[in-house]
Amino acid sequence: MYEWERDALGIDTLGEIKGGVRVRVRVAQPEDDPSTWWVSALFAPEIWRIWRVGLLRRPVRLGLREPIELPDSLELMTPDDLPDEVRQQATAPLAVKVCPVVMAGSALGFLMSSSADTDPPLVCNVYAPTGLRTRLGLDVDQEVWLHVLPAAEHHPELRRQAARGD
């Protein structure tokens, strides 16, 4: 992982990352789904505010062998100040559950799933500040490890409060 990725997550060393859920995933064929653009556009500012990383690249679509429950996810809502005409055009969910992830043991990303989903999905998207496909050499149908981290433990503000004993 790059140093700025470890900083964003509060990981001090390159040692094993504790907590969360490790799952084996399969890289799926990318889709031209307009909702992925909307998810990135609507929720990227909040990811930037919290973790200080941008969501600059197309998400990597992943197939799960079985549904997973996101560990201690953070719920993000569509911004209140979103103009009505934009809100009407948006094909993204009104709220998403977010967990930071470490993909293939070496790259930061953010798994986002619709808060409206009653059943955990078998397909998910990981949004990232870097081009994960190129950086990790990912091909369709390749299997990789995804380490889904609890949002609270890797949320910079909450980590600072815990360190101060607030």
Side-chain angles (χ1 to χ4, degrees):
M1 289 181 77
Y2 295 132
E3 184 176 347
W4 58 267
E5 292 171 309
R6 290 191 313 274
D7 288 345
L9 296 175
I11 300 169
D12 295 328
T13 68
L14 291 174
E16 183 180 345
I17 299 169
K18 305 259 189 239
V21 178
R22 281 180 47 102
V23 293
R24 193 90 171 141
V25 296
R26 182 183 49 79
V27 177
Q29 183 70 36
E31 283 188 356
D32 286 330
D33 180 354
S35 69
T36 61
W37 182 87
W38 280 106
V39 166
S40 184
L42 293 175
F43 301 108
E46 192 66 7
I47 298 294
W48 173 260
R49 187 189 69 73
I50 295 169
W51 283 281
R52 291 293 187 234
V53 296
L55 301 181
L56 306 174
R57 305 293 181 177
R58 183 180 193 174
V60 174
R61 188 169 175 80
L62 302 172
L64 305 169
R65 291 182 179 181
E66 57 189 49
I68 59 167
E69 290 290 333
L70 298 182
D72 189 26
S73 60
L74 176 68
E75 187 168 50
L76 300 180
M77 306 295 290
T78 303
D80 290 335
D81 60 353
L82 194 65
D84 286 337
E85 60 272 9
V86 174
R87 189 177 300 276
Q88 291 169 358
Q89 291 177 18
T91 57
L94 296 176
V96 292
K97 294 176 185 174
V98 179
C99 282
V101 301
V102 176
M103 192 157 177
S106 61
L108 170 65
F110 294 90
L111 190 152
M112 295 191 203
S113 96
S114 172
S115 293
D117 291 340
T118 54
D119 295 319
L122 285 173
V123 175
C124 65
N125 289 311
V126 172
Y127 297 81
T130 61
L132 293 176
R133 283 182 181 278
T134 303
R135 178 177 169 190
L136 300 175
L138 300 176
D139 291 320
V140 172
D141 290 329
Q142 179 179 345
E143 288 195 352
V144 295
W145 283 103
L146 185 68
H147 194 152
V148 184
L149 303 170
E153 288 180 36
H154 298 280
H155 187 295
E157 278 179 35
L158 298 176
R159 285 194 323 261
R160 281 191 292 277
Q161 288 172 2
R164 289 192 313 255
D166 292 352

